[in-house]
Structure formats: C-alpha cells, structure tokens
Amino acid sequence: MSDLVLKKSKFLQVQIADEKIVIWHSLFGYPKIISKETLEFLNIFSRPKKLSLVIKKYQIGKEDQVYIKDLINCYFLVPDKINERSIVKSRYQEKEKSLASGCFIKYLELIISESCNFRCRYCIHFNNIENSDRISNPNKIMNFVTAKKTVDLYLSILKKNNSHLAKINFGGGEPLLAWPVIEKTIRYCLKNYTDCFEFNFSINTNASLIDKNIAKKLKKYRVSVASSLDGLKKANDSVRISKSEKGTFDIILNGLNYLKIAKYPVDGISVTLNNYNFYLFDKNFIDWAKLNKMKELRIDIDVIGMIDIPNKEIIDKLISLKEYAKLNDINVSGFWSRPAENMNDSILDTDVAFCGATRGNNLCVNSQGEIYPCGYSNYKIGNIEKFNNLFKKNSKYCNFVKNKMIGEVKSCKGCSIEGQCIGGCAITREFADINKTAKIEKMCEFYQSMTRILLVEN
C-alpha cells in the first residue's frame, strides 16, 4: 500500500456545519464523520503523491495507517491513474447482462382504475397522463381477465428467477372504484399460488370509498393501506378536492375510521405540500398523527410543479416538522430524504436507484394491458400480449433502466449526490420534457441542499 501514488478523489464531497465535518463520495457514498486533521490529510493529496513519502514526512503510525487504508477502500484517496467512472461502468455492465432475464422484477402494480372520484390540484397521475393517450382510453377500469393474465405473467417471472415473495399493489386513479376486481384477484392468488409464493398485497387509495365491508376485507386479506391527507381540514380541502371541487377531509376520515372500527388502522399517511396548502400546514398535523397513533409520515413537495416558495423556506419547514415529529416518536420522510438514505447503499455493494422503477423492479399494467415502469408514467415499455418481448436485449424495459443508471443522465454529471439521487424522480423529468414549467433545476437544488443537511443531522 505504501508504494501507491495517490490523489484526492475529485468526487470527494465535504460538508462542514456546527464543527462537524462530513465527507462522502458523490458516486459511491460511504459517508463518514471526520476530524479537521483528517480533512487536512486528504488535502495533502490534492496533487498526486507517493503514500510512503507522506507517511515518512508526517511520521504516521501504524494505527493511523489502518485508517488511511479505509479512506482508500472508500475511494476518498485513489490511485493516480484510476478512472472512477470506469468502475461504475464495469459494475453496470454486469447488471445490463442480467436485465433481460427479468431477475430485477420484484413488484407488480395493477393500475386497476385510470379514473378517480377526486381531482386533487397537484395530482401527478392526471397531470402527467393528460399529456398522453392514456386519458382517452375508453376502458378505464381493469377487468378480471386482464388482472388474472397479468398476475400469471408476473408470477412466471418470479418463478423463473427462484423468487418466492410476490408483492402486488392495486393503484390508480382510485382503485376502490373496482373493488370487486381487486377482491377477485386476491382470491385467485391465494387459491392458486400459495404453495409457491408468499403474497404481500397493498393498495394506494384516497380512502373515501372504504366502507364497513371493504375495511373488513382489507384486514382479512392483510392488504397494506397507503392513503393521503394533505393537512388538517383547511389545508387538506384547499388542494385535495372532489370533482365538484368540494373538500374531502371529512370523507377521508370517514374511510380511515372504518379501518379503525375493523381494528386495522393505518399507522402512517402521506402528505403533499404545494402553493395552496404550504402555509396552512403546521405542527398541529403532527399532533393529530400522534393522537391517531401513527408512526410514519411521508411529507412530499409537489414533485411535478415544484412550488414557488424559496427552497430555504421549504427546507427549514421540513426540518422543523421532522424534528418535532421525532420528539413524538414519528418518523418523517419523503422524496427529499431518498438521496441521504441511499448514501449507505453504495453501487459497489448493491443496486442503488432513486426508486423501484429506475432500478427495474416494477411492472405497472393498466386496464388495456399496457406495461409501464411506473404507474404515473407515459413511457410504454410493452404489453401483456407480447410479454416476452419485454426482456429482449435493448427492449424498452432494458433501455429505460440503462438510461437511468449513474452517468447516463447528462445533467447529473458532477452533481454532489449523483450516485445517490441518480436523476431523482423519473416521472418529474418525464413531465418536464413535455411541460417546460416544471422546475427541474429547483428540484435538483432542493435535493442537494436537503441531503447535506440530513447528512450532518444524522
């Protein structure tokens, strides 16, 4: 090791706050808290130097040499001629070879309904699909024949790759508009496949259509319920509205209450903040969540439009809410926390991505049998009638995943969180390509600033 000619990696990132120094590699992660002396040591290698000469000059002992080896292993110090992007490319070449096997497929989302009884002002589903032919499809409710065929195809891929955990989500639109199809699909899975698979069912619903019977059935089939409430009554009803533009707070609570009565309450809920409700949302909602025994809150900023409020004000509010929630044993997260969460999962050790879609984990199928990488996407990657084409070399599925790998999003090159954010939400970028009002640069700045703060905090 001492014969190495080393240099400080150009991907080394440093954040100093409150006398704390945090470093990470913008491609590989490996965040560390270091001392001022360690930072000074790293800076010695701003130009290539032979390690043995540095050890001799500064009389570095064996214990500290072990620490230096760790800095090398984490690529903070790298051999002079090394190209770190070539390491990324080599890592991804292995993944590309495996994509066509379908081995990365983990989740199935049945887009049970393209319709919804709500018309939330920020809705990513309708804001994006209105730019595509999906909005004009005459049949917006999936029938059981399509659901059954899709399930069979999904499970055949899992079986081929010796995977025995089947995760099936019912999404939309509002999936409970087609509750009979959902129940029939669940029964079909449990009747025909329990010898081969363990099933995890989930549903994304606005909860307004949950009644006593549906609540009991959701509990019976152990369907995990994900729902949203965008603040207390005034805040929620400013953005989360019905088609007739009436507030939805009361009918959402009514549905959630049926789950409580069935002794199957949700233990977390999602919130979206935008220009309409940002200033109406405060710590009182955390108090409400605690009263309702919730443990998780997902608070996101409108990822399609990005709100007009300055990033610093948004960040300050989110951090304040997160800290207050922590005091009440509630965890707060969102898309904004994803890059920081990804820091400890280096691409060198595991498959890192912003979401399951960009990792290649998702099959999302709508009522027409069309396949998408995400339920909110317009990018059609296939159809269940030609399912085998999905996994051919250079198929739309394979190319979608390859184009979301580190280094493939040109505007991300050189970003301080390039290997952890990896382009952020793919649907936001997809929407931005169509609608030039989407504030991608603001989103990037938001993620970068928030990640630095979270790394110091954690």
Side-chain angles (χ1 to χ4, degrees):
M1 182 182 78
S2 60
D3 291 332
L4 289 172
V5 176
L6 299 174
K7 62 183 177 182
K8 182 174 70 174
S9 172
K10 65 180 180 180
F11 299 102
L12 173 67
Q13 303 295 323
V14 180
Q15 179 66 22
I16 303 174
D18 301 326
E19 298 184 356
K20 185 186 292 183
I21 303 173
V22 180
I23 61 171
W24 70 95
H25 193 287
S26 63
L27 296 183
F28 304 144
Y30 300 127
K32 292 182 181 297
I33 297 172
I34 63 169
S35 65
K36 182 181 177 182
E37 290 75 19
T38 300
L39 183 59
E40 290 172 350
F41 175 78
L42 287 168
N43 287 333
I44 291 172
F45 294 88
S46 295
R47 291 185 177 181
K49 288 184 173 58
K50 196 168 184 179
L51 180 58
S52 59
L53 297 179
V54 173
I55 289 174
K56 183 177 180 180
K57 180 178 179 179
Y58 294 95
Q59 298 181 335
I60 297 172
K62 288 186 178 181
E63 187 176 326
D64 286 333
Q65 288 181 41
V66 172
Y67 188 59
I68 292 171
K69 187 175 182 179
D70 187 49
L71 295 174
I72 296 170
N73 289 338
C74 294
Y75 293 87
F76 298 127
L77 290 174
V78 296
D80 184 28
K81 303 300 181 182
I82 196 171
N83 181 344
E84 287 147 277
R85 286 201 180 275
S86 69
I87 298 173
V88 174
K89 189 173 182 179
S90 175
R91 176 75 173 84
Y92 276 144
Q93 283 174 343
E94 297 174 20
K95 179 173 180 176
E96 286 179 30
K97 291 176 184 176
S98 303
L99 276 173
S101 71
C103 67
F104 290 97
I105 297 297
K106 305 296 180 187
Y107 312 107
L108 171 65
E109 178 182 354
L110 294 175
I111 307 168
I112 289 290
S113 169
E114 296 276 25
S115 298
C116 187
N117 57 330
F118 281 15
R119 199 63 170 87
C120 304
R121 297 186 192 277
Y122 57 79
C123 182
I124 188 172
H125 180 74
F126 285 101
N127 283 339
N128 207 23
I129 70 169
E130 281 181 350
N131 291 293
S132 76
D133 59 359
R134 282 178 67 181
I135 202 70
S136 60
N137 285 338
N139 181 15
K140 293 183 171 59
I141 301 294
M142 182 179 287
N143 59 43
F144 175 67
V145 173
T146 301
K148 174 182 176 297
K149 184 167 187 175
T150 304
V151 165
D152 289 339
L153 291 169
Y154 162 64
L155 295 178
S156 71
I157 287 294
L158 294 187
K159 187 175 183 180
K160 175 185 172 184
N161 290 290
N162 295 314
S163 178
H164 303 287
L165 178 60
K167 297 184 177 183
I168 300 178
N169 175 262
F170 302 100
E174 175 46 55
L176 287 180
L177 289 169
W179 168 249
V181 179
I182 294 174
E183 184 174 18
K184 198 170 182 180
T185 302
I186 292 173
R187 286 179 173 176
Y188 173 76
C189 291
L190 297 178
K191 180 181 178 181
N192 295 279
Y193 285 107
T194 49
D195 288 345
C196 303
F197 298 99
E198 176 188 346
F199 286 95
N200 283 355
F201 299 110
S202 61
I203 187 168
N204 290 75
T205 172
N206 61 37
S208 67
L209 300 178
I210 296 177
D211 58 20
K212 185 177 180 180
N213 175 59
I214 291 176
K216 286 183 177 179
K217 293 292 180 64
L218 291 170
K219 180 182 180 181
K220 175 183 177 181
Y221 301 125
R222 293 182 293 174
V223 180
S224 177
V225 179
S227 193
S228 301
L229 194 64
D230 295 334
L232 298 180
K233 189 175 179 65
K234 189 174 181 180
N236 180 84
D237 289 354
S238 68
V239 291
R240 203 162 181 75
I241 55 178
S242 66
K243 287 183 177 179
S244 59
E245 297 195 2
K246 293 182 179 179
T248 60
F249 183 80
D250 292 331
I251 57 175
I252 292 172
L253 287 194
N254 189 54
L256 296 178
N257 191 50
Y258 275 119
L259 291 173
K260 286 184 182 178
I261 292 171
K263 296 183 179 179
Y264 196 60
V266 295
D267 61 0
I269 206 155
S270 296
V271 176
T272 299
L273 300 181
N274 62 12
N275 287 321
Y276 294 95
N277 67 344
F278 184 84
Y279 293 110
L280 297 173
F281 188 91
D282 56 26
K283 293 176 181 178
N284 288 325
F285 190 81
I286 308 294
D287 295 334
W288 174 88
K290 182 180 181 181
L291 185 66
N292 285 273
K293 299 180 180 179
M294 293 191 180
K295 294 296 182 182
E296 298 283 338
L297 287 181
R298 182 179 182 86
I299 304 178
D300 274 312
I301 305 300
D302 177 6
V303 293
I304 286 291
M306 284 299 290
I307 59 182
D308 296 329
I309 298 161
N311 276 341
K312 185 179 185 308
E313 192 171 348
I314 298 171
I315 290 170
D316 288 346
K317 182 161 190 167
L318 287 173
I319 293 297
S320 176
L321 291 168
K322 181 178 174 64
E323 290 175 349
Y324 184 70
K326 188 176 181 179
L327 295 174
N328 290 280
D329 296 320
I330 298 173
N331 180 58
V332 170
S333 63
F335 278 137
W336 43 270
S337 61
R338 186 67 52 78
E341 292 163 0
N342 281 346
M343 278 289 171
N344 291 311
D345 294 324
S346 174
I347 182 182
L348 301 177
D349 306 313
T350 188
D351 190 22
V352 181
F354 190 82
C355 65
T358 55
R359 193 181 286 111
N361 297 153
N362 296 359
L363 287 178
C364 302
V365 182
N366 72 357
S367 58
Q368 309 297 307
E370 296 163 338
I371 306 172
Y372 300 87
C374 170
Y376 303 127
S377 176
N378 292 329
Y379 184 71
K380 194 187 306 180
I381 58 175
N383 189 287
I384 60 172
E385 299 302 328
K386 297 180 179 179
F387 190 72
N388 289 334
N389 292 345
L390 195 67
F391 303 107
K392 289 183 177 179
K393 187 177 181 181
N394 294 322
S395 68
K396 284 190 172 182
Y397 162 75
C398 293
N399 286 336
F400 176 87
V401 178
K402 285 190 283 186
N403 290 337
K404 301 298 180 292
M405 292 177 178
I406 298 171
E408 295 301 317
V409 183
K410 291 182 180 179
S411 61
C412 295
K413 284 192 173 182
C415 174
S416 62
I417 52 172
E418 182 182 351
Q420 295 76 45
C421 181
I422 321 174
C425 173
I427 309 310
T428 304
R429 290 186 174 274
E430 180 182 308
F431 182 78
D433 288 340
I434 302 167
N435 189 330
K436 300 306 178 183
T437 63
K439 303 174 178 67
I440 290 295
E441 293 79 11
K442 181 179 171 71
M443 180 192 75
C444 293
E445 179 192 315
F446 174 57
Y447 286 171
Q448 290 164 9
S449 299
M450 181 60 88
T451 301
R452 289 179 175 273
I453 290 170
L454 292 175
L455 283 175
V456 171
E457 179 190 86
N458 293 333

